[in-house]
Amino acid sequence: LESHFEVRRIDDSSLAAVRNADAVIGVGMPHRMFDGAERLRAIATISAGYDSFDVEDLTRRRIVLMNTPGALTETTADLAFSLILATARRIVELADYVKEGRWTGGMGPESFGVDVHGKTLGVVGFGRIGAAIARRGALGFGMRVLYYNRSAKLEAEAQTGAQRRELAELLRESDFVCVTVPLSPETVHLIGSAEFAQMRPHAIFVNIARGQVADESALVQALQNGTILGAGLDVFEKEPLPLESPLRNLPNVVAVPHIGSAVAETREAMAASAVENLVSYLIEGKPLNVVNPNAL
Ligand code: NAP
């Protein structure tokens, strides 16, 4: 960055610096930070998701928003799959059992899990990460893949044999339901009590997208009532997960602290991609990874 721009570091106490900036790069930037930033032409977020931005407001103000989607696809799909496996085979619960010295004899049916291989995997949102999860399921674990997406994804269908379904059909037919759809006004609480009720009683729900895509209190009820078998969660309606959340005490939940892309090489690749976005657009005039092309 420093070879192309005059760079200023911004923290909460120096937000005013944004008002004089031509571009901003960072992660977890609150939209209010851009209020009164008359000079701003470009924002590079070091993330794939951009639900924290008011994209319409940026477009109106001709501020170009760029993200880093490709850099974290495979890493986030690995995390999703580890949640599938950990929940199905109760890895966290049973690993604690060993560490706490409670493994004193043979393990009976009360410790049994469910199989992953050969089962049906339903992917809600079939973009980059959804298709990468589907590849793992279809090619690695012999799973049948169903997907729900607003457009058909023919290339990913050809790679994985995935079949497109309406959401209700996917929920009724899947053993694992994995949510990868971005958060937007259309997807807030896309999965609520009616949707959990459509799932199979042995279904496992995995969310690596955004917490608000699922209604968390409906999820807690579904887990407590046995409507579904378990959940693997990387994202929550409120992050960090509040101490009083019932999710913390449910044995059939594997919860991790939003670590989808938390791998050193990947975080470095994401930062490099965000820098490249800025240089390519502002220095070379070639916009890359633009979220709001109408702002160009
Ligand atoms: P992507 O390639 O843009 O894929 C998103 C897919 O969702 C697209 O296929 C899109 O369909 C579909 N979609 C969007 N809105 C929809 C709607 N209302 N109904 C049905 N389908 C809809 O994004 P990605 O890279 O896979 O990332 C997906 C999301 O994962 C991100 O937005 C982010 O929130 C989350 N994420 C989380 C982590 C983590 O750390 N846990 C890491 C990375 C990403 P079309 O192709 O038809 O538009």
Side-chain angles (χ1 to χ4, degrees):
L1 280 177
E2 280 169 351
S3 60
H4 294 284
F5 306 103
E6 185 192 326
V7 180
R8 301 246 174 89
R9 209 171 264 271
I10 298 168
D11 60 32
D12 281 351
S13 61
S14 61
L15 277 183
V18 176
R19 298 215 177 100
N20 302 316
D22 298 296
V24 178
I25 182 169
V27 69
M29 297 179 275
H31 192 83
R32 62 179 164 74
M33 159 175 176
F34 311 114
D35 291 346
E38 302 292 339
R39 283 182 59 154
L40 199 60
R41 290 174 56 209
I43 300 172
T45 178
I46 308 175
S47 64
Y50 47 83
D51 45 273
S52 63
F53 296 93
D54 179 344
V55 177
E56 272 180 30
D57 176 57
L58 296 178
T59 306
R60 245 187 330 268
R61 295 164 59 190
R62 304 218 162 255
I63 298 171
V64 173
L65 175 64
M66 295 165 281
N67 66 345
T68 62
L72 44 49
T73 301
E74 300 297 332
T75 299
T76 309
D78 283 351
L79 193 267
F81 226 87
S82 65
L83 287 173
I84 289 173
L85 292 167
T87 313
R89 299 301 301 271
R90 301 169 55 184
I91 296 296
V92 178
E93 189 190 345
L94 296 173
D96 282 348
Y97 194 83
V98 175
K99 288 197 172 174
E100 289 161 8
R102 292 195 285 144
W103 183 27
T104 51
M107 300 299 286
E110 68 285 353
S111 60
F112 290 173
V114 294
D115 266 334
V116 173
H117 72 272
K119 295 289 183 70
T120 298
L121 171 64
V123 185
V124 177
F126 208 53
R128 294 176 184 85
I129 297 172
I133 295 167
R135 283 197 298 278
R136 283 157 177 74
L139 308 178
F141 289 78
M143 297 177 92
R144 170 176 173 249
V145 179
L146 307 177
Y147 75 95
Y148 167 75
N149 198 76
R150 64 184 164 197
S151 64
K153 298 290 177 178
L154 301 182
E155 202 182 319
E157 282 186 21
Q159 278 182 352
T160 62
Q163 299 166 26
R164 192 167 171 211
R165 291 281 191 277
E166 289 304 326
L167 183 59
E169 284 178 77
L170 177 147
L171 298 174
R172 277 197 290 270
E173 289 183 49
S174 298
D175 302 302
F176 295 86
V177 174
C178 190
V179 172
T180 73
V181 74
L183 176 65
S184 71
E186 297 86 58
T187 62
V188 175
H189 286 191
L190 180 69
I191 310 291
S193 48
E195 286 70 27
F196 287 116
Q198 284 164 338
M199 292 183 201
R200 297 175 155 194
H202 63 263
I204 286 178
F205 175 75
V206 171
N207 188 359
I208 62 88
R210 287 292 182 265
Q212 294 91 327
V213 175
D215 177 341
E216 208 163 272
S217 52
L219 170 62
V220 168
Q221 277 191 358
L223 290 161
Q224 284 171 336
N225 300 342
T227 309
I228 61 171
L229 184 65
L233 306 169
D234 186 39
V235 291
F236 304 88
E237 285 202 295
K238 217 178 201 183
E239 296 179 7
L241 185 66
L243 285 182
E244 62 276 15
S245 169
L247 290 171
R248 289 180 56 243
N249 299 318
L250 290 172
N252 50 347
V253 170
V254 175
V256 291
H258 202 146
I259 53 168
S261 65
V263 165
E265 301 100 290
T266 300
R267 286 288 169 86
E268 197 153 311
M270 289 164 68
S273 164
V275 170
E276 192 190 350
N277 285 343
L278 282 186
V279 173
S280 184
Y281 173 48
L282 292 175
I283 306 295
E284 294 159 10
K286 291 185 217 142
L288 285 177
N289 297 318
V290 174
V291 169
N292 56 344
N294 289 340
L296 286 166

